[in-house]
Amino acid sequence: MRQTIDLTVESSRLAVDALAEASGLPKQRIKDAMAKGACWWTQKGKQVRLRKAKRELKPGTRIQLFYDDQVLARQPEEPELLENKGRYTVWFKPHGLLSQGSQWGDHCSLLRLAETELNKPCFLVHRLDGDAAGIMLIAHDGKAAAALSQLFSGRTMTKIYRARVTGNLVADDLRIDTPLDGKASVSRVTTLSYDADSDTTELEVRIETGRKHQIRRHLSGIDHPIVGDKLYGTADSAGLQLTAVELAFHCPLTRKDLVFRLPELSAF
């Protein structure tokens, strides 16, 4: 069941009571949805999630509930904290976990799970496809987030991925520069190994830009879609075989060169 409730309360009352009356949903389901980030209200002129079910609402307060029982029933795989650098942390995001939530909830997102585990503010620095896995950075103050985000937008972040694609692809620093969405896009591909039994090739991919689904679209564009790519290839029960295995950069906070890399066996 999926429904959207948008209401403005006329008299002071608890949020859970107002939403239960407007939606017809049991209060326990409302509380669960609110805890998972499916309820929104305006605070200090900004739309934010309202998680406290017993928040007393003043007359004229507008709240919205985006209820989807299938979204709320999802059980995300837990991310792994790899390193804590103080003002930011380094995480392994598993396949299927979102980088951040949507209006329908955020309990299946790295950002929310990191916030819950660390009990401190978390800011998204960059994104990784929900279907992909790999290394991600989460900042813990606004200035750190801005400084780290600049590394990605300014193309000074080295980003290396592992991908398994269909067919036999022989490549040695192959440059794929097909524009995506009218913007310059560059991926560099090197073959690591070929498996004749499955007719698939494991690749190392370095990207110089960060367009949406860049690696997936570039590899599909040369007729070697990533195994398990339901958008640009063929779905597979094993999921999308794409993992971000390394981030390397000159840290703007510590002024040191840093490299974060997954162990070899963590790629797939």
Side-chain angles (χ1 to χ4, degrees):
M1 180 178 64
R2 184 177 179 128
Q3 64 174 305
T4 301
I5 305 299
D6 188 337
L7 65 92
T8 300
V9 298
E10 298 180 354
S11 58
S12 297
R13 56 189 319 189
L14 299 182
V16 64
D17 293 340
L19 289 171
E21 181 179 316
S23 67
L25 293 168
K27 290 184 181 180
Q28 194 56 45
R29 289 193 185 182
I30 298 289
K31 291 179 180 179
D32 179 65
M34 294 181 74
K36 292 178 177 176
C39 183
W40 296 76
W41 71 331
T42 302
Q43 191 175 43
K44 297 180 180 179
K46 184 179 179 180
Q47 282 286 104
V48 297
R49 300 183 198 271
L50 174 59
R51 302 184 192 274
K52 189 175 180 180
K54 293 188 177 181
R55 170 76 65 182
E56 185 170 349
L57 305 177
K58 297 180 180 179
T61 301
R62 179 191 179 192
I63 57 174
Q64 296 171 288
L65 178 68
F66 298 91
Y67 187 89
D68 186 321
D69 54 2
Q70 293 187 3
V71 172
L72 296 171
R74 291 175 186 163
Q75 297 291 328
E77 185 177 344
E78 293 291 323
E80 180 183 352
L81 176 61
L82 301 176
E83 288 198 43
N84 190 333
K85 307 299 287 185
R87 296 180 66 187
Y88 66 96
T89 43
V90 185
W91 297 80
F92 172 73
K93 184 192 84 67
H95 293 283
L97 188 67
L98 301 174
S99 297
Q100 63 179 346
S102 69
Q103 63 185 2
W104 301 92
D106 63 354
H107 71 294
C108 292
S109 72
L110 172 62
L111 194 65
R112 177 57 180 167
L113 292 174
E115 184 179 73
T116 302
E117 180 172 333
L118 300 176
N119 193 29
K120 61 174 155 180
C122 289
F123 299 82
L124 198 67
V125 173
H126 60 118
R127 290 174 174 80
L128 187 61
D129 289 353
D131 291 333
I135 295 177
M136 287 193 66
L137 305 180
I138 296 290
H140 301 297
D141 65 74
K143 290 184 178 180
L148 293 171
S149 294
Q150 182 60 38
L151 297 177
F152 289 89
S153 60
R155 303 188 187 181
T156 55
M157 173 73 72
T158 298
K159 297 167 285 185
I160 302 178
Y161 294 73
R162 290 285 181 89
R164 183 168 293 279
V165 300
T166 60
N168 185 6
L169 173 56
V170 179
D172 183 8
D173 198 28
L174 171 67
R175 177 185 170 96
I176 306 175
D177 55 9
T178 306
L180 298 174
D181 303 322
K183 299 179 180 179
S185 307
V186 179
S187 303
R188 293 186 175 275
V189 179
T190 298
T191 298
L192 297 176
S193 64
Y194 171 67
D195 182 71
D197 291 336
S198 61
D199 188 29
T200 61
T201 304
E202 185 176 1
L203 306 172
E204 178 179 277
V205 184
R206 296 171 179 256
I207 59 174
E208 297 178 9
T209 53
R211 309 307 177 200
K212 184 176 181 179
H213 297 168
Q214 176 175 316
I215 297 175
R216 301 166 68 172
R217 294 164 74 182
H218 270 171
L219 291 173
S220 177
I222 61 171
D223 298 322
H224 290 282
I226 297 175
V227 173
D229 192 337
K230 60 187 177 183
L231 293 180
Y232 306 102
T234 303
D236 188 281
S237 59
L240 182 71
Q241 299 299 287
L242 176 65
T243 303
V245 297
E246 181 177 319
L247 292 176
F249 55 96
H250 182 73
C251 180
L253 307 177
T254 63
R255 307 299 180 186
K256 295 180 179 180
D257 291 329
L258 299 175
V259 178
F260 299 107
R261 185 174 178 82
L262 291 182
E264 286 294 318
L265 295 179
S266 297
F268 299 115

